[in-house]
Amino acid sequence: MKTILILGGTTEARQLAGKLVTRAAVTLSLAGRTESPVAQGVPVRSGGFGGADGLAAYLTDRSIGLLIDATHPYAARISANAAQAARITGVPILALRRPGWEPVQGDRWIEVDTVGAAVQALGDTPRRVFLALGRQEVAAFEAASQHRYLIRSVDPIEPKLAVPDADYLLARGPFREPDERALLSERRIEIVVSKNSGGAATYGKIAAARALGIEVIMVRRPALPEVPSAKTVEALAAMVDHFVEPAAERGV
Ligand code: NAP
């Protein structure tokens, strides 16, 4: 089996790489944005490829046998590039598509399509807002400087937001519901802005908001290309087995 290239930047990508490394040669690709990525335990390459054409050239140059898109559901550009590079080169592609969260009874979600719409949805009246967003997204909230912000991110927000009242927390999940409830209560948060990331690691704030009766502005997911996919690391690893094992070993 030729090398498997996993496009990562998520916990699941790391878990998948750890599972597959015993069965095939694996390279994990990171965008190179996070300053101290968690140790991966597999060979890692870092930085953009230069669009779909650059990724296609990489797949060909390195004789990649299988491309796996295990990027974050909001990383729409790299997912589109991956699908296109697979089309150009004929390299098979699989995707890990973690399902989004669904609202349950007691949730007070306001669903919007973009971060800009989330800013609008906060309204004119000053509120205490918890932003659980990446550093690329929070800048949009400068347009609503009447609110008081608590901003939690993996990497420091630099430059700081040009608003009179913003507090910054640096933390990497997973975040447990009781801790999230304590945080929202202590900071007297009135509304949470979140992406619909899915998975358990960052669900704590959603469950905490529900328990406290706090509204959540939920930014909907972007559209992603249709490629063969699985919802979990285990299911995707099982799909990969069909590429890794010679047909004879499977008794086919
Ligand atoms: P994006 O907008 O889809 O991609 C922007 C560019 O970054 C891509 O065109 C590509 O550059 C490069 N890139 C992205 N992921 C890459 C990877 N795994 N390996 C190599 N290059 C990559 O992505 P994003 O939203 O900025 O996310 C960047 C990374 O952070 C991804 O790995 C993603 O899984 C992770 N992440 C994102 C979020 C989120 O909310 N967006 C949350 C958690 C983790 P070239 O075109 O030059 O190849």
Side-chain angles (χ1 to χ4, degrees):
M1 172 68 186
K2 294 177 186 171
T3 302
I4 299 173
L5 179 66
I6 301 177
L7 303 173
T10 58
T11 306
E12 286 94 336
R14 187 157 31 91
Q15 292 167 344
L16 182 68
K19 258 188 190 304
L20 298 184
V21 78
T22 55
R23 312 178 199 181
V26 172
T27 299
L28 181 61
S29 174
L30 302 177
R33 307 266 168 72
T34 303
E35 284 161 12
S36 55
V38 177
Q40 310 287 340
V42 293
V44 171
R45 66 155 304 284
S46 187
F49 296 95
D53 290 339
L55 177 53
Y58 182 97
L59 297 178
T60 306
D61 292 349
R62 310 290 165 114
S63 298
I64 299 297
L66 175 64
L67 176 61
I68 299 179
D69 174 12
T71 58
H72 190 271
Y74 285 76
R77 185 138 40 109
I78 187 70
S79 292
N81 290 351
Q84 199 181 331
R87 261 194 312 274
I88 295 170
T89 57
V91 171
I93 181 170
L94 298 175
L96 186 54
R97 298 267 194 258
R98 178 204 295 175
W101 301 313
E102 297 290 340
V104 298
Q105 195 172 9
D107 276 328
R108 297 177 63 204
W109 290 11
I110 301 161
E111 293 194 80
V112 296
D113 283 327
T114 61
V115 171
V119 175
Q120 294 299 317
L122 288 176
D124 295 333
T125 309
R127 303 167 92 176
R128 291 174 172 273
V129 184
F130 179 45
L131 298 183
L133 296 175
R135 60 178 164 177
Q136 290 170 66
E137 292 125 344
V138 296
F141 290 85
E142 289 184 350
S145 59
Q146 71 275 28
H147 303 296
R148 306 176 76 166
Y149 292 104
L150 176 63
I151 302 167
R152 183 171 67 195
S153 56
V154 174
D155 289 314
I157 307 288
E158 294 295 349
K160 300 270 186 263
L161 284 203
V163 297
D165 199 332
D167 241 350
Y168 299 87
L169 283 179
L170 280 187
R172 192 192 292 271
F175 301 103
R176 294 170 52 250
E177 184 195 337
D179 299 333
E180 298 289 67
R181 212 186 301 183
L183 178 72
L184 298 182
S185 301
E186 278 161 21
R187 302 296 188 116
R188 292 188 285 134
I189 296 298
E190 294 166 297
I191 189 160
V192 173
V193 184
S194 173
K195 289 186 277 195
N196 192 340
S197 299
T202 59
Y203 189 68
K205 61 179 176 284
I206 307 300
R210 179 168 62 239
L212 296 169
I214 293 173
E215 283 181 316
V216 174
I217 299 178
M218 188 66 82
V219 182
R220 287 196 190 94
R221 291 178 166 206
L224 296 175
E226 298 267 335
V227 298
S229 64
K231 292 179 180 167
T232 63
V233 170
E234 290 68 28
L236 192 65
M239 285 173 91
V240 171
D241 281 342
H242 289 272
F243 289 89
V244 175
E245 290 172 32
E249 280 181 28
R250 297 201 311 268
V252 182

